[in-house]
Amino acid sequence: MKKSKIFVVLLISVFVLSLFMVGCGNGNGDEENGEPGGERPERLAVATGGTTGVYYPLGGGIANIISENVDGVTANAESTGASVENVNLLSDGDVDFAMVQNDIAYYAFNGEEMFDDQDPMENLRGIATLYPETIQIVADANAGINSIEDLVGKRVAVGAPGSGTEANARQILAAHGISYDDFTADFLSFGEAADNLRDGNVDAAFVTAGTPTAAITDLSTQHNVILLSMDQDKIDALIADYPYYAQVEIAGGTYRNQDDDVTAVAVMAMLAVRAELDDDLIYDITEAIFTNLNVLANQHARGGDVTLEGALDGMSLEVHPGAQRYFDEQ
Ligand code: GLU
């Protein structure tokens, strides 16, 4: 009799304890995140890039569209070191959206290239690809630089620490047999690179951004600069190794004193989001962006490239289900 009483008491205790644990589980999940469908923060942060790039004005435009058209949320654009920093911020939950190059997003999601010592960032999702970002190599017209090979022995700004630009610089130089050991590399934002080029402290700079890029436009009015073309065989080798690059021409007249077309490569800018955000919220945000594209076109020429038809061209991440539902309905 005594033994069976103890058994009943134990059974009841286990039952009560398990009820308590189920309660705790619910509290950590749905209640804390607002809704069963996912997180709905009231304030949303959009990671962009330096203030003289294109991410900053277009990310600002996207933040304005969200604040003005989606009920119950406000969004703000933040200046950052750009793509590589942005995917880290996004994956860690420090921001909710990020402007990012499609090549960098792919490496981050898969834990490759500059991310090979980190866990794959499996919570990155795409909303849409936006516009081409051209890798522009600007050189002081009087520094004796006429080709990428001439950068050997010079002082070169290779992009901000944590930028996609810096990754592109390394890959493009490697395709020419050049490494950072062959010249002095300075890790500068577009604005810093332009100021230093104008003042004679650096001889050339890599800039991965939509054209025209304000930093280069301003520089070209103050200083004589040239854009370097890439040779076809080097472009072919680069694309064979890194398929996110595409060959493009920087049209003559994009910058002051640039009369001829310049052959270059480009990647795609995209808008990425955290997987944890609520599907309905992302549906509403995607709808707001694609029904207010004029706001982006007014911010920068490349904002005019964003279209519903092209929204998934070059997409390198799984699309967020909220965005996918919006695209499927169109
Ligand atoms: N694509 C650049 C990067 O991630 C930033 C471009 C911009 O700021 O417009 O380095």
Side-chain angles (χ1 to χ4, degrees):
M1 279 306 270
K2 215 177 173 194
K3 263 192 182 168
S4 67
K5 247 189 187 171
I6 291 175
F7 181 67
V8 169
V9 169
L10 260 178
L11 207 66
I12 291 172
S13 315
V14 168
F15 181 61
V16 169
L17 196 69
S18 61
L19 275 184
F20 176 73
M21 285 172 75
V22 167
C24 281
N26 275 346
N28 284 339
D30 302 343
E31 278 170 33
E32 212 169 78
N33 293 340
E35 287 208 7
E39 295 179 29
R40 290 189 73 99
E42 282 169 14
R43 297 180 66 81
L44 299 167
V46 185
T48 64
T51 53
T52 56
V54 181
Y55 284 3
Y56 188 72
L58 286 185
I62 289 170
N64 286 344
I65 290 174
I66 295 173
S67 298
E68 282 167 24
N69 297 282
V70 182
D71 284 344
V73 289
T74 56
N76 282 300
E78 293 178 4
S79 175
T80 69
S83 290
V84 176
E85 184 182 337
N86 290 357
V87 286
N88 280 300
L89 290 169
L90 191 60
S91 179
D92 290 345
D94 294 331
V95 298
D96 305 293
F97 297 88
M99 303 285 286
V100 58
Q101 296 176 200
N102 63 346
D103 53 341
I104 304 298
Y106 178 87
Y107 300 141
F109 185 86
N110 293 287
E112 292 177 15
E113 292 280 317
M114 66 290 285
F115 304 103
D116 67 357
D117 58 348
Q118 287 174 251
D119 288 338
M121 299 186 197
E122 288 170 352
N123 64 337
L124 302 184
R125 294 289 179 277
I127 291 194
T129 53
L130 304 171
Y131 62 91
E133 298 192 78
T134 307
I135 293 93
Q136 306 164 80
I137 311 169
V138 200
D140 184 332
N142 298 316
I145 299 171
N146 293 304
S147 68
I148 294 177
E149 286 82 356
D150 291 339
L151 296 175
V152 170
K154 303 288 186 191
R155 190 156 196 133
V156 182
V158 293
S163 63
T165 301
E166 196 271 323
N168 299 141
R170 237 175 319 119
Q171 291 169 348
I172 289 172
L173 289 164
H176 292 78
I178 302 172
S179 81
Y180 285 1
D181 295 338
D182 300 318
F183 62 92
T184 308
D186 281 326
F187 298 85
L188 304 175
S189 70
F190 301 159
E192 292 165 341
D195 289 349
N196 279 284
L197 219 155
R198 181 197 60 212
D199 296 343
N201 301 324
V202 303
D203 302 305
F206 282 77
V207 173
T208 302
T211 59
T213 313
I216 304 178
T217 305
D218 294 348
L219 172 66
S220 71
T221 63
Q222 300 166 3
H223 200 80
N224 282 332
V225 291
I226 56 163
L227 287 175
L228 303 182
S229 265
M230 272 180 80
D231 291 338
Q232 193 63 52
D233 58 327
K234 300 294 191 307
I235 291 178
D236 294 344
L238 184 73
I239 294 176
D241 281 347
Y242 302 105
Y244 284 106
Y245 286 112
Q247 182 168 341
V248 294
E249 299 289 322
I250 305 169
T254 300
Y255 299 107
R256 192 180 76 94
N257 286 345
Q258 180 227 336
D259 298 331
D260 299 328
D261 290 357
V262 172
T263 305
V265 289
V267 291
M268 286 298 284
M270 57 185 274
L271 181 65
V273 62
R274 290 192 290 126
E276 297 81 6
L277 292 197
D278 181 69
D279 291 4
D280 290 340
L281 176 66
I282 298 309
Y283 177 97
D284 291 347
I285 286 174
T286 309
E287 180 177 50
I289 293 170
F290 282 92
T291 48
N292 288 281
L293 289 178
N294 59 317
V295 174
L296 300 184
N298 288 338
Q299 287 288 17
H300 188 275
R302 296 282 69 75
D305 293 348
V306 185
T307 62
L308 190 58
E309 298 70 41
L312 299 178
D313 292 351
M315 173 57 73
S316 59
L317 292 174
E318 197 180 305
V319 178
H320 191 287
Q324 189 63 58
R325 182 153 55 88
Y326 176 75
F327 294 131
D328 289 346
E329 284 177 13
Q330 303 316 301

